[in-house]
Amino acid sequence: MKRGYLEGDFQLFYLKDQKNMEFEFHHHDFNKILIFLSGNVTYLIEGTAYKLKPWDIILVSDNEIHKPIIDSTEIYERIVIWVNSSFLRKHSDSTSNLHTCFERCGNHKSNLIRYQPQSVDHIKTILFQLKNACTQTEFGSRILKNSLFMQFIVSLNREFLGIEKKKALQDINYDKNIDSILDYINQNLKENLSIDHLSSKFFVSKYYLMHKFKKQTGYSIHHYILQKRLLMANSLIRKGLPAMEVSLVCGFGDYSNFVRAFKKKFGLSPKKYYKNLIQLQQADGDKHF
């Protein structure tokens, strides 16, 4: 299930509430940054559970499947930032890829950034300046907003790379067997990923596999694989690859089944989806001419 739609480069939300909220597992086609301020929340991302502490930062890359588990007896306060990958790449250079933290977080089970106490004040200052700048309309407000966001994302990447080296795993829980299976699935979407094949390869019973997989990810194995194949297909279609080639690369044995599944998820056939994307890009280019 896809939630939210981002127009523009990035968008910041400050949220504070106390209510009974139950989310389904979902994904976005943009990156998400959650700065946890208060409450009692566990974040589930691709089979891994992160128990949050104040000023923890959760990174969710585009198309990672996730959901929060929220204790409604406590006030849940957070800052949420949605950001487009294209915006990050546009402002990167040959020595500093601002998208690094999102590219690596899912691969290394490193979605959690926990700042040391002496570093929290620095990140607080940037965030509150950014939050205020996002509401301004005075001269240069857009430039100021973007420059503050750049400071924040550079700091985030530096901290992320430091944590990645230390491989800190505090308050992170996951089933190692299911984690290995998830990694295998995501690296072999083109191959045979039947339940029989997976249970044989990882030496587990089909019942254990189906039960534990659903518990860890919120999806049946079949549904998870289908979603991941479709998300991969969407990315390749956006790059201009022919639909027939995409269906093979993404592990769809039958082209008509691929078209049907793609249309059900994204609302258009692969060819019409790409054509519509090109038209939108051209229209956007005309607006800035």
Side-chain angles (χ1 to χ4, degrees):
M1 176 182 179
K2 187 171 84 168
R3 294 175 62 95
Y5 179 75
L6 174 61
E7 290 185 346
D9 298 325
F10 69 92
Q11 192 167 356
L12 182 147
F13 309 89
Y14 169 72
L15 304 166
K16 184 177 182 179
D17 43 49
Q18 183 179 0
K19 54 189 177 182
N20 188 15
M21 295 182 290
E22 290 194 13
F23 292 89
E24 298 179 8
F25 279 95
H26 60 280
H27 61 85
H28 312 282
D29 56 10
F30 48 82
N31 306 293
K32 178 179 176 180
I33 304 167
L34 172 85
I35 302 96
F36 177 72
L37 303 180
S38 67
N40 183 7
V41 176
T42 298
Y43 232 84
L44 305 181
I45 306 174
E46 294 283 352
T48 301
Y50 300 91
K51 175 64 177 174
L52 301 185
K53 295 182 178 180
W55 290 101
D56 279 354
I57 295 180
I58 285 287
L59 304 175
V60 185
S61 63
D62 53 356
N63 297 330
E64 278 194 298
I65 294 168
H66 62 283
K67 81 168 183 176
I69 299 175
I70 302 163
D71 180 357
S72 62
T73 65
E74 297 190 25
I75 294 173
Y76 179 26
E77 185 179 10
R78 68 276 191 202
I79 296 171
V80 179
I81 303 174
W82 295 351
V83 56
N84 270 323
S85 296
S86 58
F87 177 65
L88 295 176
R89 295 192 179 103
K90 178 182 175 182
H91 289 86
S92 299
D93 60 29
S94 58
T95 62
S96 302
N97 175 12
L98 297 177
H99 199 252
T100 295
C101 57
F102 293 109
E103 290 176 353
R104 296 191 188 180
C105 64
N107 295 332
H108 298 276
K109 297 294 175 198
S110 301
N111 296 81
L112 173 66
I113 294 178
R114 178 166 292 161
Y115 279 89
Q116 294 299 312
Q118 62 270 22
S119 302
V120 170
D121 285 343
H122 171 67
I123 208 68
K124 281 182 183 179
T125 300
I126 297 175
L127 274 168
F128 286 129
Q129 288 178 340
L130 175 59
K131 176 177 171 288
N132 291 333
C134 287
T135 64
Q136 295 173 2
T137 57
E138 294 91 341
F139 173 84
S141 57
R142 183 173 178 274
I143 296 171
L144 177 61
K145 181 180 73 170
N146 285 357
S147 68
L148 287 167
F149 179 79
M150 287 301 132
Q151 287 184 54
F152 175 63
I153 202 69
V154 166
S155 174
L156 215 59
N157 273 281
R158 287 178 177 177
E159 188 70 19
F160 175 83
L161 291 169
I163 289 173
E164 191 181 40
K165 290 176 183 175
K166 298 172 192 171
K167 297 191 181 298
L169 296 175
Q170 303 98 322
D171 296 309
I172 301 176
N173 297 298
Y174 60 94
D175 184 297
K176 291 184 178 179
N177 288 333
I178 298 302
D179 185 53
S180 297
I181 293 167
L182 283 166
D183 286 342
Y184 179 80
I185 288 171
N186 282 290
Q187 293 170 20
N188 295 276
L189 289 171
K190 183 180 180 180
E191 308 302 328
N192 171 28
L193 295 174
S194 67
I195 292 175
D196 286 335
H197 172 73
L198 292 172
S199 64
S200 174
K201 180 171 181 61
F202 288 92
F203 306 103
V204 294
S205 72
K206 288 190 285 186
Y207 171 78
Y208 170 89
L209 177 58
M210 291 186 290
H211 175 72
K212 293 291 287 185
F213 194 95
K214 175 82 177 204
K215 183 178 179 180
Q216 290 291 118
T217 68
Y219 280 81
S220 68
I221 294 176
H222 171 75
H223 192 198
Y224 180 86
I225 292 169
L226 177 61
Q227 294 301 304
K228 285 295 182 173
R229 282 174 167 164
L230 287 170
L231 293 172
M232 181 181 177
N234 178 280
S235 176
L236 294 176
I237 291 291
R238 284 172 169 267
K239 293 177 182 178
L241 269 68
M244 181 69 77
E245 181 181 342
V246 169
S247 70
L248 295 173
V249 170
C250 295
F252 290 92
D254 183 88
Y255 180 69
S256 60
N257 286 340
F258 164 62
V259 172
R260 194 179 306 113
F262 191 96
K263 186 174 182 179
K264 182 177 179 180
K265 183 168 183 62
F266 299 108
L268 295 169
S269 69
K271 291 179 181 178
K272 287 184 178 178
Y273 183 88
Y274 180 68
K275 184 178 179 181
N276 187 58
L277 179 66
I278 294 300
Q279 289 173 342
L280 288 173
Q281 289 173 343
Q282 289 173 343
D284 186 60
D286 290 342
K287 284 192 294 185
H288 293 88
F289 183 71

